[in-house]
Amino acid sequence: MDDQEKEEFQPQEAKSIYKSKNPLKFWWFVIKRSLDFKTRSPRKEYWMFYIGNIIVFIALLILLTLILYVSNIADYKELVMVYSVFVIVWRIALLLPGFSLVTRRFHDTNKNAWLTVLFFACNLFFGYLSSVLENARSHNYNIIILVLIVIICIAIDLWLFIVLGFFKGASGPNKYGANPLD
């Protein structure tokens, strides 16, 4: 892929968006780039997306709470079910944008995108582990093995979090395209 083809993957608004300090603009920018797995994203896009994500999530949670209040749903089990479904739908809806953003961040640091799979595998394991631990007393699980796996996943997640959130991207162009901040 030559430099001109790599440049086509960069949206025109990218040049101006990186000057913004509005996390909601970044949030929407990342949502629109959900299918972009070939270019790069700087640290600012990564952090601002997650800040924007928290803002949008809280706003939608407040809206959902108001709707439930007006609907007079007061039963605890119903509330837990509605909130659980909301969180599941939210996480599924943001899976692809998050996956592509993490891939672009790895590209920006000149690392292989297969690390994205490792990042999400550890996070999925934590979700699985929470359900296992809920049933640990009723089943005969080897807790020591689970604890070792948890420690390994925490170490991997911590390392990947540091790479994604704190490592500066490669200066100048790399094999994944031009530096988005240039």
Side-chain angles (χ1 to χ4, degrees):
M1 179 181 298
D2 63 13
D3 290 336
Q4 185 178 10
E5 289 176 10
K6 286 181 184 175
E7 190 65 32
E8 289 176 15
F9 289 117
Q10 279 292 345
Q12 292 299 324
E13 66 183 308
K15 303 291 183 199
S16 64
I17 196 80
Y18 295 130
K19 295 176 185 171
S20 174
K21 293 182 181 178
N22 182 345
L24 297 178
K25 284 184 179 181
F26 278 92
W27 185 82
W28 185 243
F29 182 65
V30 170
I31 297 296
K32 291 190 297 186
R33 292 180 67 193
S34 293
L35 298 176
D36 178 6
F37 290 90
K38 297 183 180 193
T39 60
R40 300 167 56 176
S41 288
R43 289 177 292 184
K44 184 176 183 180
E45 183 177 340
Y46 178 78
W47 285 113
M48 294 295 267
F49 170 74
Y50 284 107
I51 292 169
N53 194 37
I54 291 167
I55 293 168
V56 172
F57 180 79
I58 289 172
L60 290 174
L61 198 58
I62 290 170
L63 182 64
L64 178 62
T65 302
L66 290 173
I67 291 169
L68 293 173
Y69 179 76
V70 170
S71 302
N72 290 327
I73 296 179
D75 182 49
Y76 178 75
K77 289 182 180 180
E78 289 178 351
L79 288 173
V80 168
M81 190 227 17
V82 169
Y83 284 122
S84 297
V85 168
F86 171 72
V87 170
I88 289 169
V89 169
W90 181 258
R91 294 200 65 186
I92 290 171
L94 290 179
L95 192 62
L96 186 61
F99 201 74
S100 68
L101 176 61
V102 168
T103 299
R104 291 191 309 271
R105 270 303 295 142
F106 281 127
H107 286 173
D108 193 44
T109 59
N110 216 14
K111 295 188 177 8
N112 194 307
W114 282 104
L115 290 172
T116 305
V117 175
L118 182 62
F119 182 77
F120 280 93
C122 284
N123 284 298
L124 287 173
F125 175 74
F126 285 134
Y128 167 75
L129 183 65
S130 67
S131 65
V132 166
L133 292 178
E134 287 177 16
N135 300 316
R137 290 193 178 112
S138 62
H139 293 84
N140 192 13
Y141 291 115
N142 191 339
I143 298 298
I144 293 172
I145 292 174
L146 288 176
V147 169
L148 287 174
I149 293 171
V150 165
I151 291 170
I152 291 168
C153 277
I154 288 173
I156 290 169
D157 259 5
L158 184 61
W159 175 73
L160 293 174
F161 173 72
I162 290 169
V163 168
L164 292 170
F166 298 102
F167 280 23
K168 185 178 180 179
S171 58
N174 66 15
K175 63 184 176 181
Y176 302 106
N179 187 339
L181 299 177
D182 287 343

